[in-house]
Amino acid sequence: MADTRIYNTLSRSLETVSPRSEAGRELSLYTCGPTVYAYAHIGNFRAYVFEDLLQRHLQERGFAVRRVMNLTDVDDKTIRGAHASGTALADYTRPFKEAFFQDAKTLRLLPAESYPEATDAAQIVRMIAMIATLMERGHAYRAEDGSVYFRISSFPGYGKLAHVDLEGQRQGARVASDEYDKEAVADFALWKAWVPEDGAVGWESPWGKGRPGWHIECSAMATGLLGETIDIHCGGVDNIFPHHEAEIAQCECAGSGHAPFVRYWMHCAHLMVEGSKMAKSAGNFFTLRDLLAQGWTGREVRYALLAVHYRASLNFTIEGLGAARTALGRLDAWHERLVEAARGAESVEKPDPATEEFFTALDDDLNISEALAVLFETLRESNRGMDQGMLTPAQARGLLDWLKRVNGVLALEPEARNEELPKEIAKLVEDRAAARSAKEWKKSDELRDELAVLGWIIKDTKDGQRVTKG
Ligand code: AMP
Ligand code: ZN
């Protein structure tokens, strides 16, 4: 089997993925999760879909992937949101957590092994312990504002991920907020002393009441659950600095001193809208819910996010979703045709060895364009074969088996028709049928949209309504 190579942001080069031990071929994967102060937008989901493709491909290649994804449920943004809406922090973040899991399912993301939450008592204890170690070792200090800061001058490796040059930096300059850019590189907050705007949010610590900084949260959750060294750590490119740079500093200074925090760093480029990064702060974002309500399916959104190489920036357009719909339509028609052609097959004939190139393309730093080219070339060729009556049932069976393997990685298979609908969904479908009989078209459309937001797609066919999970 060919080696799987990925681009490591740390070394700025392609590297072969190897497990630390051949026994079990285990790889740990830590993926920075959503900050639950709003609905995740599809830019966030671009990162999660890329990570899902990575995990699925590594699994196809025989690695046992242990993935952890955190939920950032306390940071500057969540506190600001809770404060502005006059809600307790946990009540404020809960619906966004629930929505995240629902959206992740709609986009067919494999569930992680665990989803630690930053406010979990056990995690806070770990964060405090890590900060205490950093203090003992002289990597952290308490400033006049009562907060604890990481001393970047104490860690010569600071800047190695983002390639920040510390020469000429003002010693001891500090930054309290979680996010800042490279020009403002400075000692960053590990523990933020309580201020009145924090309201009821705060935990007791050796440095008084306060809360953790965003960066220490990920460091503590990642090493707490996956150990001192993590094989692969992912996020969007905006995470490289300061977030991941800070994570390295914290973990390598609080650890045994012998092990790197992460072996392979991978970052996906941004999802863009008209030349700018899709971001909540820029207000140029779409949530998955927005798109479902417009009649797009989770599968179509997944295709659109997946089809462009993760290190290339992807411009989001509705035409792009239209192209995804067309491509999936072709795959579905082909699939149905193959099923028909495979009827009565008594044996299975392996497809052309060239079809393996689908997987070897993904071995090349997840070269999805090449992989999709192999998929559509296989589709074209076998359609030609079927047009000429040349494809045997055994060959069709072999192609269907291959497609199943392909979909183990892409997860773009058509949704099986769902006979057993959940009760609430069945009720909405029934209401819609009644509305249609009564020619209440507006109500019928509203019910269709409501179902779409819940992740169910309804189509009107000559045999009545057909409901599928989107
Ligand atoms: P946040 O909720 O802002 O902490 O972001 C969660 C994840 O989404 C991080 O890995 C970010 O790097 C990623 N992300 C945020 N915006 C975008 C975008 N426009 N395109 C791709 N990834 C993004
Ligand atoms: Zn993180």
Side-chain angles (χ1 to χ4, degrees):
M1 193 192 293
D3 285 341
T4 302
R5 300 199 313 158
I6 54 174
Y7 183 83
N8 188 346
T9 312
L10 184 66
S11 65
R12 299 281 198 274
S13 63
L14 288 172
E15 293 180 18
T16 298
V17 183
S18 61
R20 271 174 288 163
S21 144
E22 274 305 322
R25 286 173 66 78
E26 203 172 88
L27 285 177
S28 55
L29 173 60
Y30 185 85
T31 51
C32 285
T35 305
V36 283
Y37 75 109
Y39 292 115
H41 57 69
I42 57 160
N44 302 127
F45 279 107
R46 182 189 193 195
Y48 309 144
V49 167
F50 138 64
E51 292 154 359
D52 186 63
L53 176 69
L54 172 70
Q55 174 170 2
R56 286 172 181 272
H57 180 62
L58 291 171
Q59 288 178 180
E60 160 66 29
R61 287 318 203 187
F63 291 103
V65 180
R66 290 190 57 201
R67 184 164 64 90
V68 169
M69 176 182 262
N70 72 294
L71 301 178
T72 304
D73 60 356
V74 55
D75 78 323
D76 296 350
K77 293 189 273 197
T78 42
I79 292 181
R80 216 179 293 135
H83 186 67
S85 67
T87 342
L89 183 65
D91 293 332
Y92 179 71
T93 57
R94 190 176 306 111
F96 301 125
K97 288 181 188 171
E98 286 168 4
F100 167 73
F101 287 113
Q102 195 178 34
D103 291 354
K105 211 160 156 209
T106 306
L107 288 172
R108 306 175 175 202
L109 306 182
L110 289 175
E113 179 180 291
S114 69
Y115 293 96
E117 301 186 347
T119 54
D120 186 283
Q123 300 300 345
I124 298 275
V125 166
R126 220 188 125 68
M127 293 167 207
I128 292 176
M130 256 182 117
I131 300 170
T133 305
L134 292 171
M135 286 284 264
E136 274 161 37
R137 296 183 181 175
H139 292 296
Y141 61 91
R142 193 154 179 227
E144 314 79 66
D145 63 356
S147 297
V148 179
Y149 289 85
F150 185 90
R151 182 181 282 119
I152 56 171
S153 63
S154 74
F155 179 52
Y158 191 83
K160 64 184 171 185
L161 182 68
H163 293 202
V164 180
D165 191 0
L166 288 185
E167 278 298 304
Q169 293 292 343
R170 200 156 55 86
Q171 292 277 323
R174 281 194 293 276
V175 54
S177 94
D178 286 333
E179 289 176 275
Y180 49 92
D181 41 60
K182 278 194 224 174
E183 284 62 50
V185 57
D187 291 355
F188 57 87
L190 297 166
W191 188 258
K192 303 188 186 197
W194 185 87
V195 290
E197 299 84 76
D198 291 345
V201 181
W203 290 265
E204 289 306 330
S205 81
W207 318 284
K209 190 169 163 181
R211 62 179 171 101
W214 172 38
H215 316 305
I216 197 77
E217 293 178 7
C218 270
S219 282
M221 290 189 271
T223 53
L225 288 155
L226 293 171
E228 189 175 19
T229 294
I230 288 155
D231 293 307
I232 309 178
H233 192 318
C234 300
V237 284
D238 57 318
N239 283 159
I240 297 175
F241 192 90
H243 187 48
H244 291 163
E245 195 71 64
E247 277 194 51
I248 295 177
Q250 295 162 154
C251 290
E252 296 190 356
C253 292
S256 67
H258 306 299
F261 168 42
V262 169
R263 299 172 63 223
Y264 311 97
W265 283 98
M266 294 180 78
H267 295 96
C268 78
H270 284 143
L271 184 68
M272 311 289 284
V273 184
E274 286 162 22
S276 317
K277 172 192 167 194
M278 180 176 285
K280 286 163 205 156
S281 55
N284 61 351
F285 63 91
F286 286 92
T287 63
L288 182 60
R289 279 123 216 279
D290 295 334
L291 297 175
L292 297 179
Q294 287 177 23
W296 301 101
T297 65
R299 183 176 173 234
E300 286 162 350
V301 177
R302 178 176 173 94
Y303 188 103
L305 294 178
L306 201 68
V308 171
H309 187 252
Y310 75 96
R311 285 196 289 123
S313 77
L314 163 57
N315 198 32
F316 177 77
T317 59
I318 295 294
E319 292 82 68
L321 284 174
R325 179 169 287 177
T326 308
L328 288 168
R330 286 179 68 199
L331 285 172
D332 289 351
W334 180 50
H335 176 250
E336 279 179 27
R337 228 181 147 188
L338 282 176
V339 170
E340 210 41 56
R343 233 175 259 282
E346 280 166 8
S347 58
V348 185
E349 189 176 319
K350 268 198 177 298
D352 188 320
T355 54
E356 268 317 295
E357 285 166 19
F358 174 87
F359 302 99
T360 45
L362 293 176
D363 283 332
D364 176 20
D365 193 30
L366 299 179
N367 188 341
I368 188 73
S369 327
E370 188 57 40
L372 289 175
V374 174
L375 173 60
F376 281 97
E377 184 49 36
T378 309
L379 171 151
R380 263 191 301 276
E381 228 171 75
S382 60
N383 268 338
R384 226 176 287 134
M386 286 189 275
D387 289 344
Q388 297 163 355
M390 301 283 281
L391 196 82
T392 66
Q395 286 171 327
R397 182 77 271 149
L399 281 168
L400 282 170
D401 288 353
W402 176 76
L403 186 56
K404 206 163 180 188
R405 248 179 89 211
V406 165
N407 268 326
V409 178
L410 297 181
L412 290 171
E413 62 281 2
E415 202 60 62
R417 199 177 156 177
N418 230 313
E419 305 300 347
E420 293 274 317
L421 297 177
K423 251 202 222 119
E424 33 152 20
I425 303 298
K427 168 86 176 60
L428 291 172
V429 173
E430 255 170 52
D431 290 353
R432 186 169 180 272
R436 293 181 73 75
S437 321
K439 301 207 183 319
E440 293 171 14
W441 307 121
K442 189 162 171 282
K443 185 163 177 210
S444 152
D445 286 351
E446 282 166 7
L447 286 162
R448 184 199 56 209
D449 294 348
E450 199 175 326
L451 280 159
V453 169
L454 295 169
W456 294 84
I457 307 304
I458 195 155
K459 285 211 175 95
D460 299 304
T461 70
K462 58 180 181 348
D463 306 321
Q465 303 186 101
R466 191 174 153 185
V467 192
T468 49
K469 192 99 180 69

